[in-house]
Structure formats: structure tokens, C-alpha cells
Amino acid sequence: AQSVAQPEDQVNVAEGNPLTVKCTYSVSGNPYLFWYVQYPNRGLQFLLKYITGDNLVKGSYGFEAEFNKSQTSFHLKKPSALVSDSALYFCAVRADTGRRALTFGSGTRLQVQP
Amino acid sequence: DAGVIQSPRHEVTEMGQEVTLRCKPISGHDYLFWYRQTMMRGLELLIYFNNNVPIDDSGMPEDRFSAKMPNASFSTLKIQPSEPRDSAVYFCASSLGGHLYRYFGPGTRLTVT
């Protein structure tokens, strides 16, 4: 079975400061990893993915994520947070073979204060 | 492309009534997913289709839930009879190839009273 853990329900950061949203995963085989963002009353929007290759993945809106196989982590980062980054962030995983369904984490609410 | 289209956007119904949620995936996408989002349980995969064929329905909570995909451009999720605990936001998503990222629809907010 595959699973995702997002240990923080909420992350608070001041505008201009770096942010990190944590994600760890468990999967049989090689992982495909994703980050999605959800704004109020909207569907999920894709931010970035790791399939293979460089461990540091760059995505939309200045976000990036670092894949760490030994720690089974895929933390989302941004060097300088914006108030408009405030939203709900979901990490998701699936194995590279077999079941195509993504398993999502419980979500982390990011609050960026001006 | 207009993206994934879901209807209705909001549905309020009484317990015991039948509810049908609709989804039009992005044209050309061969995978379609139904998710449910609640505060308590987060985002759960209910069922997904590949080329209109249901592949995995292990997330469907009960026999009251059923989903169909009669063609590549349309899917329904039906709840009969509905119960208050079914209240949630239901998302449809589609993708081209199951390993690529999903495009999510705006969701249907279902309230069962």
C-alpha cells in the first residue's frame, strides 16, 4: 500500500521569508511524486512532479521540491513567500508500476502573513 | 480547452434522494478519476477509469455509490440513496496517461440534509 504523510496541518510564514511544506511517503517501487495547490472553492492545481532525474524539481509560481530517497521525503520549498501563496497544499504519490491512482496527503494549510 | 467540467457546482438535497454528479474530462484524456474531499478524511480516491473502463473502484464507500463512463467525454457519479455523511466536495480529474499529473475540475459541493 502507498501512503503520504504531511505532518503539519498549518505552516505560518512571513512574507519574504523562505517556506517549507513537509511531505514523506511510502510506496512499493519507485515513486512518482506530486504537489498540488488548492485555493478556496477551487479544484486542485498541479504545481510540480518528480518522476525521475534531478532530485531538485522546479515548478510553477517559483516553487520547488527536493526528492530525498533515503529519507523518503519530497518537501515543497520556496525561497521567498508571497501572501498570495496562502492556500492548501497537497502532496501525492504513486508507484511507477501497477495501480495508477494517486494517494494524497491530508494537506497543509500555508498562511503567509504580510 | 475549457478544462475538466463538472456539474452541478453545488447540490443540496434531502436524505434519501438520488444524487447524480457529472463530469466532462479534457478531450483526449484517457484517464478519469473521481475524488471526494472532506475535512475529516481529506482527499480520497473513489474510482478511476481508463478508456471508459473502471479500473479500480476500491475507494467507493458503499453500494449506494456507483459511477459510469458511457463514453470518453462523460462520466457520472451517482449516490442512491444519499445520506448526510455523503456531504463533501466531489472532484473529477482527468489525465493523459496515468502517470502524468491530473487536471482537476472545480468540484461539486454536495450537502445532504
Side-chain angles (χ1 to χ4, degrees), chain A residues 8-9 43 51-52 57 66-67 69 74 80 91 93 101 105 112:
Chain A
E8 302 153 316
D9 289 338
I51 304 296
T52 186
V57 178
E66 187 168 10
F67 170 62
K69 188 173 184 177
F74 190 57
S80 178
C91 181
V93 70
V112 182

Side-chain angles (χ1 to χ4, degrees), chain A residues 32 34 36 38 41-46 49 51 88 90 94 98-106 109, chain B residues 9 31 33 35 37 42-43 45 48 56 58-59 91 97-107 109:
Chain A
Y32 291 171
F34 304 79
Y36 286 82
Q38 185 180 27
N41 301 313
R42 301 286 296 275
L44 275 69
Q45 297 177 31
F46 170 80
K49 70 179 185 291
I51 304 296
L88 190 56
F90 291 93
R94 61 154 286 213
R99 193 169 182 256
R100 301 280 187 172
L102 288 181
T103 297
F104 284 83
S106 55
R109 185 165 300 282
Chain B
R9 293 293 309 276
Y31 280 82
F33 306 81
Y35 290 89
Q37 185 179 36
L43 199 61
L45 175 67
Y48 75 95
D56 186 342
S58 60
F91 288 103
H99 68 289
L100 297 179
Y101 55 86
R102 281 78 166 123
Y103 291 83
F104 279 78
R109 182 174 296 278

Side-chain angles (χ1 to χ4, degrees), chain A residues 15-33:
Chain A
E15 188 175 30
N17 283 0
L19 69 88
T20 299
V21 182
K22 295 179 181 177
C23 170
T24 58
Y25 66 90
S26 174
V27 69
S28 298
N30 295 316
Y32 291 171
L33 293 153

